[in-house]
Amino acid sequence: DQFPSVVIESVQVSKTFTPYQQGDASGGAVNVKLKGIPDENTLEFKVQGSTNSQVTGKSDFLTYEGGGLDFWGKDDGGRDIQSDKLGENWDGAVGVSTDDAPTDYKWSMAAGGKRELDNGLKIGGLASFYYERDSSSYKNGINDSKVVATPGDKMTPETNQGAAGSGDFKTALFDVDQSSQSVQWGGLGIVGIESERHSVTLSYLHSHTAEDTATLAEDTRGKKFYFPGYDPSDPFSEGNNKDDKFAAPYLRLETLEYQERTTSSMQLAGQHALAMEGLRLGKAFTFGEPKLDWTLSSNNAKQVTPDKRQFGALWIAPYFDPGFPPFIPPGFTRPRWVGYKPDANFSLGNLQRIWKDIEEDGQQYALNLELPFQQWGELDGYFKTGVFRDKVERDFNQDTFSNASDTSGFEGDFDEFWSGSFPGEDGHEISAAETDVDYKGDLEVSAWYSMLQLPLASRWTLVTGVRLESTAIGIANEEENLVLWVPPGGTQFEDLEPGEADVKFDDDNALPAVAVKFQASENTNVQVSYSETLARQTFKELTPIVQQEFLGGPIFIGNPDLQLSSLENYDVRVDHTPYEGALISVSYFDKQIEDPIEYVQTVTDSFSFTTAENYPEGELSGFELEVRQDLGRFSDRLEGLSAGANATFIESEVVLPDDEVAGFELPEIAAPMDSRDMTNAPEHLFNLYLTYDHALTGTQVSVFYTIQGDTLIAGAGQFDGDFIPNIYALEYDTLNLSITQKLGEHFQVQFQAKNLTDPDIETVYRSKYIGDDVLNTSFSRGVEFSLGIGARFQF
């Protein structure tokens, strides 16, 4: 939808780094290349409606009063900061409600053409627009935080704000319901002029996405874990007494988040064939026309989160206490709610309202010169050189308001939501929190490269070169009065002093690449290559800000000491094309990584979080197998039918730092390890497809099946005698189906079915020291069906 087919010239996938690419292209880079102007005059449109098994027709879709999206996904100002009411009760819902699910649909249109002038010049352009409304929802999701408290024992709930057995402690075993609705729209405009040797295009891309998400997280399983058979309605049930009322109590956390993201890009690009053909270098080299291409672009991205609302409440069941009136009946307290502040928000009240703005401005330019030549009059080669620069400036601003001094409560049963009556109550004065970290960040990448494709013999070709790339990352934090942070490697909150977490990172890299290609036969090619690349830190990974999708959910805190990673890449690839429409490919790859960036779990005195750290070294290797076959070659009855499969098998390992190794060997942890799998590297990936394209009837059918193997997403950690095992995302599969049928010359209908297997998407705690896997999180996406009609006219 964002890139109509009429403007796409090619989609290029590169699995091997060359100096022409940016230094972080370690393999699998995808480049969507747009045409200058369309080849023909066209007008096309498409309308589509869809359903989801977990959304459509449901009346329990989570939302909130004042929530939802208007047609354009633009806030009307109703979420502006209520600065005129500081010190008073603020308006607006703070908790979830339910409503009928929204309707999902999308449509798009594109029109363009070109005209040839008398002097041979061609001018043209294209404009496209797309619009989509989408929604998702799941019930009974799981988000559990657990630890191993005693070596050899089973995992138990992670406790906070007190120790298990103390009579006052909290757990984090959340049942999660979440619903989200979004509006996305955007446009693309291209104008250009071209001649036989030159072309210049100006393109503008704009997109806007608004998403409104309501999340309800409830912890009732913590109480039942520590008090088996617990009955909240029985005042004499174990766990319902004066001393245990705050021992793993029922918790309810509600998060309302509306977010807008806008991106725009203006790009001016040119391609030129220079009239210098026929130059010779001795008798060996004859040069063709040099090719020059350049790009200038200005980009802007903005994310606005106005008035994110987080509300926490703790429920106390009725218990016998003759000294606590009023009584129902005499001697029993009334069930009631009190404010709950998760440890990550302990300096705030039980209600937080957060305004966050992130804006990035970027300028980029690239200039490439390619000089093709023929060696000995028959073997093609080229010399290519160029420069590149990308500069991004980011402003991050967050303002948090809270009811920090609020000590109120609410009488009601657990199925009564305090958040529903909270906005109408008195005594919930909101004030500025002064705990936010704003920052200005900048990233500048500049590079110069040179590369050569040189035929060595009729079947041997050398491709080599080097990219000199400089990276500069800076972050200046603008902390407020009461800002706390967790220093890298620390386990306690500390005051953030001016400049303490600022980042000033500069690095220069020479990134060589060399590949030797050998044509073993007319249909078989072999390539052996070596290259050096890097992996950069992101602003998220560098800033020490508590980042949390919803109250009670997983927390991420950046690490300002993080360094980039250096990679050495080796790969061998054999491609065999026995005939047109068939491919057999086998490849082996190995990546040696210095200072790999790994996501690990750590714990403060009160809560656990994930952060990014550099490990000493790592290695990722594996095999990739690919087969494609046009089945029509074997039988006329199979004409138009094609099948293919791709399988990747990955082995990965990182070496743990000495301090982590020592920590895991402590007697109270007793989980010795000096290495583990690399994060975000699945054990295997399988892709299978079957397509049918019958030109005579205009029928197209596509079936795609994918499997992603177990993947480590956060490494193990330990603190204060508790062991937190590795967290793995479990293997899951996806099955998609698409059927398209032409109706006459211009129209077509399309049916799509997505996620037909509808797997539970789960993460688990995994370690040889805990026995079987222990569930960490779980949710499902539902099955989606859609039906659309489109038309295309050429004139």
Side-chain angles (χ1 to χ4, degrees):
D1 292 325
Q2 295 188 51
F3 299 101
S5 58
V6 294
V7 302
I8 296 178
E9 180 175 302
S10 63
V11 178
Q12 303 166 344
V13 179
S14 176
K15 297 185 179 181
T16 302
F17 170 75
T18 63
Y20 169 74
Q21 299 170 300
Q22 294 188 43
D24 56 357
S26 299
V30 178
N31 181 25
V32 179
K33 188 175 182 180
L34 303 183
K35 294 179 180 178
I37 56 178
D39 294 327
E40 53 195 15
N41 300 328
T42 61
L43 171 64
E44 60 179 69
F45 67 85
K46 182 179 180 180
V47 179
Q48 180 176 298
S50 60
T51 65
N52 184 288
S53 60
Q54 295 180 179
V55 177
T56 307
K58 306 293 184 180
S59 58
D60 57 355
F61 188 86
L62 285 186
T63 183
Y64 54 96
E65 185 179 350
L69 302 165
D70 67 8
F71 183 82
W72 293 110
K74 290 281 192 178
D75 180 32
D76 60 3
R79 297 178 172 89
D80 289 345
I81 297 177
Q82 300 171 38
S83 7
D84 59 332
K85 300 183 67 175
L86 281 174
E88 303 177 16
N89 302 332
W90 280 18
D91 297 329
V94 299
V96 302
S97 57
T98 58
D99 202 348
D100 293 336
T103 301
D104 295 344
Y105 63 91
K106 63 181 180 180
W107 55 271
S108 62
M109 62 185 303
K114 67 177 179 180
R115 180 179 180 183
E116 185 169 353
L117 305 179
D118 294 339
N119 58 4
L121 287 178
K122 299 175 183 177
I123 60 173
L126 178 138
S128 69
F129 184 85
Y130 69 92
Y131 181 92
E132 179 176 3
R133 293 191 74 101
D134 194 20
S135 56
S136 62
S137 183
Y138 64 84
K139 302 290 184 184
N140 303 316
I142 298 293
N143 193 310
D144 289 351
S145 296
K146 296 184 178 181
V147 298
V148 178
T150 304
D153 287 357
K154 294 183 178 181
M155 295 195 74
T156 56
E158 175 189 334
T159 59
N160 57 77
Q161 300 182 17
S166 66
D168 187 357
F169 63 93
K170 314 301 184 295
T171 58
L173 304 180
F174 289 106
D175 299 306
V176 182
D177 295 350
Q178 185 177 89
S179 297
S180 181
Q181 51 186 310
S182 66
V183 166
Q184 183 178 21
W185 57 266
L188 172 68
I190 298 176
V191 293
I193 182 170
E194 62 182 39
S195 66
E196 184 178 353
R197 292 179 177 273
H198 307 279
S199 69
V200 177
T201 59
L202 177 65
S203 59
Y204 177 73
L205 173 67
H206 180 89
S207 67
H208 178 86
T209 301
E211 187 171 19
D212 199 20
T213 302
T215 305
L216 171 65
E218 297 178 332
D219 180 357
T220 60
R221 290 181 283 118
K223 194 78 169 183
K224 295 174 183 177
F225 178 89
Y226 287 101
F227 302 97
Y230 172 74
D231 183 357
S233 63
D234 181 3
F236 295 103
S237 177
E238 186 180 7
N240 275 350
N241 58 59
K242 182 178 180 180
D243 295 329
D244 292 329
K245 62 180 180 294
F246 289 118
Y250 281 14
L251 305 175
R252 174 174 292 142
L253 307 180
E254 300 168 79
T255 303
L256 316 176
E257 182 171 14
Y258 173 87
Q259 186 177 95
E260 293 183 17
R261 298 188 302 274
T262 304
T263 60
S264 60
S265 177
M266 179 77 76
Q267 184 181 97
L268 182 66
Q271 296 181 346
H272 310 277
L274 307 181
M276 297 174 58
E277 188 174 9
L279 293 178
R280 299 181 64 87
L281 182 61
K283 296 181 179 181
F285 298 95
T286 302
F287 293 95
E289 290 185 339
K291 300 175 182 177
L292 179 71
D293 68 81
W294 52 271
T295 302
L296 301 172
S297 67
S298 177
N299 313 295
N300 176 269
K302 188 170 185 178
Q303 176 181 304
V304 180
T305 308
D307 203 4
K308 179 177 180 178
R309 308 168 202 181
Q310 300 184 145
F311 184 82
L314 179 155
W315 186 70
I316 303 172
Y319 61 91
F320 180 74
D321 184 357
F324 193 99
F327 312 125
I328 49 163
F332 295 92
T333 64
R334 295 180 182 273
R336 68 186 189 279
W337 292 94
V338 295
Y340 172 64
K341 300 179 289 185
D343 271 314
N345 313 82
F346 74 97
S347 60
L348 305 173
N350 73 304
L351 169 64
Q352 297 109 51
R353 300 181 72 152
I354 305 166
W355 278 257
K356 182 168 64 176
D357 297 280
I358 306 174
E359 184 166 10
E360 286 188 358
D361 288 302
Q363 293 79 41
Q364 185 180 108
Y365 70 74
L367 176 68
N368 304 290
L369 176 65
E370 180 178 329
L371 184 60
F373 61 80
Q374 279 195 329
Q375 189 170 353
W376 303 303
E378 59 180 10
L379 303 178
D380 294 328
Y382 64 82
F383 172 76
K384 193 169 186 175
T385 187
V387 293
F388 172 86
R389 183 177 182 270
D390 186 20
K391 182 174 178 59
V392 176
E393 296 181 345
R394 168 183 281 208
D395 282 336
F396 179 100
N397 181 73
Q398 179 169 295
D399 294 304
T400 300
F401 300 85
S402 182
N403 61 332
S405 59
D406 191 347
T407 59
S408 61
F410 172 76
E411 288 189 3
D413 292 327
F414 183 72
D415 58 1
E416 296 181 70
F417 282 58
W418 182 17
S419 60
S421 61
F422 189 91
E425 299 173 353
D426 290 327
H428 305 312
E429 291 82 6
I430 296 287
S431 59
E434 297 187 337
T435 57
D436 297 308
V437 180
D438 301 335
Y439 70 87
K440 293 184 180 295
D442 60 85
L443 167 67
E444 183 172 350
V445 178
S446 57
W448 170 87
Y449 77 92
S450 197
M451 60 181 294
L452 174 69
Q453 177 174 299
L454 180 65
L456 301 176
S458 60
R459 294 190 176 187
W460 294 86
T461 302
L462 172 69
V463 180
T464 187
V466 65
R467 184 179 185 91
L468 304 178
E469 188 163 283
S470 298
T471 300
I473 303 175
I475 295 176
N477 294 291
E478 302 172 353
E479 63 280 347
E480 297 183 4
N481 296 335
L482 305 175
V483 173
L484 300 174
W485 75 309
V486 181
T491 57
Q492 295 181 343
F493 276 114
E494 299 179 11
D495 292 332
L496 178 60
E497 302 297 334
E500 193 170 20
D502 290 355
V503 175
K504 188 175 182 181
F505 176 85
D506 292 281
D507 199 38
D508 299 319
N509 292 272
L511 306 174
V514 58
V516 177
K517 300 178 181 180
F518 172 58
Q519 187 177 3
S521 69
E522 183 180 353
N523 301 317
T524 305
N525 292 301
V526 181
Q527 176 174 302
V528 180
S529 64
Y530 167 82
S531 65
E532 296 182 16
T533 56
L534 50 85
R536 292 190 190 88
Q537 320 93 308
T538 65
F539 288 123
K540 171 186 175 181
E541 294 169 340
L542 287 167
T543 51
I545 296 171
V546 175
Q547 301 171 64
Q548 190 174 29
E549 178 187 354
F550 59 88
L551 194 61
I555 296 170
F556 183 91
I557 300 177
N559 173 9
D561 292 342
L562 199 64
Q563 304 294 302
L564 61 74
S565 304
S566 301
L567 293 84
E568 294 185 349
N569 310 287
Y570 306 82
D571 63 79
V572 180
R573 186 176 186 89
V574 180
D575 294 323
H576 177 61
T577 53
Y579 41 78
E580 186 178 355
L583 170 68
I584 301 172
S585 179
V586 181
S587 64
Y588 170 78
F589 57 88
D590 182 88
K591 300 178 184 293
Q592 302 287 334
I593 309 173
E594 182 180 349
D595 297 325
I597 297 173
E598 290 290 297
Y599 282 15
V600 298
Q601 299 170 87
T602 188
V603 180
T604 69
D605 286 342
S606 51
F607 69 94
S608 63
F609 64 93
T610 300
T611 189
E613 293 184 3
N614 290 112
Y615 275 25
E617 60 183 81
E619 181 179 10
L620 186 145
S621 61
F623 288 91
E624 182 178 10
L625 311 173
E626 185 173 1
V627 178
R628 297 201 296 260
Q629 178 62 57
D630 179 1
L631 300 178
R633 183 177 180 87
F634 304 123
S635 171
D636 291 342
R637 295 181 177 180
L638 301 177
E639 186 67 32
L641 194 62
S642 297
N646 175 285
T648 304
F649 303 92
I650 299 174
E651 293 285 342
S652 67
E653 183 181 47
V654 290
V655 175
L656 272 59
D658 292 341
D659 58 339
E660 286 195 24
V661 173
F664 290 131
E665 290 177 348
L666 292 171
E668 62 268 30
I669 301 299
M673 66 181 86
D674 56 17
S675 65
R676 59 161 170 77
D677 292 340
M678 185 176 294
T679 54
N680 301 314
E683 294 178 352
H684 53 259
L685 294 166
F686 300 135
N687 299 284
L688 299 92
Y689 76 84
L690 185 67
T691 63
Y692 175 71
D693 190 347
H694 196 286
L696 186 62
T697 62
T699 304
Q700 294 177 323
V701 181
S702 302
V703 180
F704 295 93
Y705 182 65
T706 64
I707 300 175
Q708 177 172 304
D710 292 356
T711 305
L712 178 66
I713 58 174
Q718 63 83 26
F719 175 73
D720 196 24
D722 290 340
F723 171 54
I724 311 173
N726 298 317
I727 296 179
Y728 279 81
L730 292 184
E731 175 181 295
Y732 70 94
D733 60 350
T734 304
L735 177 63
N736 296 331
L737 167 69
S738 175
I739 302 173
T740 303
Q741 178 62 57
K742 289 194 68 175
L743 301 176
E745 182 180 357
H746 302 292
F747 292 87
Q748 66 178 27
V749 293
Q750 183 182 53
F751 169 78
Q752 291 179 309
K754 298 180 180 179
N755 198 37
L756 285 168
T757 54
D758 194 17
D760 289 332
I761 300 174
E762 299 177 333
T763 65
V764 296
Y765 293 101
R766 177 177 295 175
S767 171
K768 64 182 179 181
Y769 300 109
I770 66 170
D772 295 336
D773 291 346
V774 176
L775 186 65
N776 171 231
T777 65
S778 177
F779 74 99
S780 60
R781 294 193 176 104
V783 181
E784 182 178 322
F785 299 99
S786 63
L787 184 65
I789 183 169
R792 178 184 173 94
F793 301 91
Q794 296 174 292
F795 51 91

